[in-house]
Amino acid sequence: MPGIEQNTGGLGHGLSFGVGVAIAGKQDRRDYRVFVLLGDGELAEGSNWEAAMSAAHYDLDNLITIVDHNTLQITGRTRDVCSNEPLAEKFRSFNWDVQVIDGHSIAQLTAGLSRRSQSGKPLAIIANTTKGRGVSFMEDVAKWHHGVPSDAEYANALREIDEALAQLEGSAR
C-alpha cells in the first residue's frame, strides 16, 4: 500500500524499523517524517524500548510513534499480562516528547499527527482508545483482538456503525 513501508505485528520490530528509516532521513537531509503505529500490548517486547532509547539518542524529531492505548492484548489486560503503566512517563523517561490524546477524536488525531516536535525529540502520541468502540458486543472485549465475527455478528456490527454514523451526521447539521 503506498505510504506503508513495512508491517510488523506484535514482535516489536516496527519501532526499530522506523528508527532506521528516520536515521536515514536525517543522514540524507530529507524532510520526511516517519510514523510508527504500535499497540500497547506489543510494548512488552524489549526491542521497543531499545529503539525508543536510540531514537532519543539520535535526536529523531522526524519520528512520530502513535500508541493505540486500549489496555487490551490478545491474552487479556496489559496491566495483568505485562503492565506498561505509567506509559506517558515511560516515554518521557526515554527523553521523548509525549502527547496524550483521545484516540477516537479525529480532531485530536489530526492535530497530533500534524504537530512537529517542539523539543527536537521523537514524539510519542498516546492515543487512548477502547477496542471495538461502537460495536456493543465487541467493545472492550479482548476476544475481538483475534476473533472473527459470524455473519450475523458482522451484520449487527455494520448496523450499529451505520446507526452511529447517521447520528453523528444528524448532530453535525
Side-chain angles (χ1 to χ4, degrees), residues 15 36-43 48-49 64-71 84-85 87-88 91 96 98-103 109 113 123-129:
L15 189 52
V36 176
L37 178 61
L38 300 173
D40 54 359
E42 77 183 285
L43 291 176
N48 284 297
W49 300 108
I64 298 91
T65 298
I66 307 100
V67 179
D68 180 10
H69 189 230
N70 60 40
T71 73
N84 55 28
E85 298 300 335
L87 190 53
F91 273 97
W96 281 56
V98 176
Q99 182 176 12
V100 179
I101 65 167
D102 173 356
L109 282 165
L113 295 172
L123 173 62
I125 298 172
I126 311 298
N128 292 320
T129 63

Side-chain angles (χ1 to χ4, degrees), residues 104-134:
H104 298 292
S105 167
I106 299 300
Q108 288 184 35
L109 282 165
T110 301
L113 295 172
S114 300
R115 182 174 168 234
R116 292 282 184 165
S117 176
Q118 302 298 314
S119 60
K121 300 175 183 180
L123 173 62
I125 298 172
I126 311 298
N128 292 320
T129 63
T130 301
K131 184 178 287 298
R133 183 170 175 215

Side-chain angles (χ1 to χ4, degrees), residues 72-93:
L72 281 172
Q73 61 186 87
I74 198 166
T75 52
R77 293 267 169 219
T78 54
R79 69 175 172 260
D80 299 326
V81 177
C82 187
S83 180
N84 55 28
E85 298 300 335
L87 190 53
E89 286 77 6
K90 282 195 167 84
F91 273 97
R92 285 186 188 103
S93 77

